[in-house]
Amino acid sequence: MGYGLLFECMLDSVITARDKYLKPGGLVVPNRTSMFIAAVSDEKSYNTRFNFWNNVYGFDMSEVIPDLFKEAVVKCVDKSHVISDHCGFKHLDLSTVRTIDLEFCSPFQLQINTPSKLTGFVIHFSCYFDGEESVVLDTSPESDPTHWLQTVLYLQSTVDVSEGSLVQGNVTFTKSSAVKRGYIIKIEGSISQDSEDIGKFCQEFYLH
C-alpha cells in the first residue's frame, strides 16, 4: 500500500503478482481494503502553510500559494480536527480487483458534527485481514499513527459550517500522466445548511 492507499501504484504490483503467481484457491492478504474521507478544521496548520507566505520577513511571497493548494499533503491529522463522520467511498476486493478499477470517481456525503471552519478533507484507508481471528489495519486519525499517516486536501476557500451542515460531492482518482507512479485527486461538491447552499468547491491535487 502507498500513501492514500494508491500512491506509487503499489496495488498494481500486487495485482500483477496475484495474476501471475497465485494458485487457484490461494489467498491474498489483506483480502480487502476501503478508502474513507472526512471533513477537517485545522486553522493553525492552514495559516502556517498558506497565509505565512503573504509576509515572509517583510517580503510578499504569495505567488507560491496557488501551487501549494495543488499538493495533497501527507501528514498526521489529530483526531480533534475531524469535524464530520467518515464516508467510505471506495471498497476493493483484492482477490478480484483489476488495475483499471484503481482509477475511479465516487460520490461521498458527510455531516458536520460541530460548528467550525472547514479547511479541507482528510483521506485514509483500512486493510482487512478476514479470518477466524480478523485483523484490521486502520490508518484513520482516530487510530494510532502508522507509516501511511493520512492525506490532506486543503480547500482554497474555507467555509464556516455548523452542526448538521451537509457536504456532498465526488472524489476522483486518476493516474498521473506526468509522474509514472503518482495520482491526481479531484474533489468537487457543495456544502449546505438547512437545504441552503453555503459553499462550493472544485480542486485538483497532485499526490506525487
Side-chain angles (χ1 to χ4, degrees):
M1 295 89 65
Y3 297 128
L5 182 64
L6 300 180
F7 178 55
E8 293 187 331
C9 297
M10 291 186 176
L11 277 185
D12 295 63
S13 300
V14 172
I15 292 170
T16 298
R18 178 202 67 195
D19 292 345
K20 186 173 182 178
Y21 298 111
L22 188 66
K23 294 181 179 180
L27 298 176
V28 178
V29 290
N31 59 297
R32 57 188 178 93
T33 63
S34 293
M35 302 172 70
F36 300 88
I37 189 170
V40 293
S41 178
D42 187 353
E43 294 184 68
K44 182 178 179 180
S45 293
Y46 191 94
N47 289 331
T48 299
R49 181 170 177 80
F50 302 109
N51 296 339
F52 163 81
W53 296 100
N54 290 316
N55 185 351
V56 184
Y57 304 107
F59 294 93
D60 181 356
M61 300 182 66
S62 58
E63 290 287 333
V64 307
I65 295 177
D67 285 336
L68 293 176
F69 276 114
K70 297 176 183 179
E71 295 180 6
V73 181
V74 177
K75 59 176 291 185
C76 188
V77 176
D78 191 281
K79 64 182 180 182
S80 65
H81 296 309
V82 178
I83 59 170
S84 75
D85 54 347
H86 299 259
C87 177
F89 63 86
K90 188 65 175 179
H91 308 283
L92 301 173
D93 182 339
L94 298 187
S95 64
T96 59
V97 65
R98 303 165 298 169
T99 54
I100 61 172
D101 299 325
L102 304 183
E103 294 186 276
F104 57 85
C105 178
S106 296
F108 69 90
Q109 179 173 295
L110 304 170
Q111 186 166 3
I112 303 298
N113 54 35
T114 185
S116 310
K117 186 178 292 292
L118 175 64
T119 57
F121 299 93
V122 58
I123 289 176
H124 59 91
F125 64 91
S126 292
C127 295
Y128 304 91
F129 301 76
D130 295 327
E132 292 184 5
E133 295 185 13
S134 297
V135 176
V136 179
L137 170 63
D138 183 2
T139 68
S140 72
E142 288 80 8
S143 295
D144 292 335
T146 69
H147 162 78
W148 296 275
L149 307 178
Q150 292 90 36
T151 302
V152 178
L153 312 176
Y154 286 106
L155 292 176
Q156 287 181 306
S157 299
T158 62
V159 182
D160 291 323
V161 292
S162 304
E163 182 178 358
S165 294
L166 196 63
V167 183
Q168 295 176 296
N170 293 291
V171 57
T172 304
F173 274 70
T174 307
K175 292 177 180 177
S176 172
S177 59
V179 178
K180 184 176 181 181
R181 305 184 75 181
Y183 264 84
I184 297 173
I185 305 171
K186 182 178 180 180
I187 189 166
E188 57 184 330
S190 61
I191 308 153
S192 62
Q193 180 70 37
D194 299 325
S195 300
E196 181 179 344
D197 282 348
I198 59 174
K200 294 183 182 297
F201 52 90
C202 182
Q203 286 179 234
E204 283 191 350
F205 305 84
Y206 302 102
L207 186 57
H208 288 168

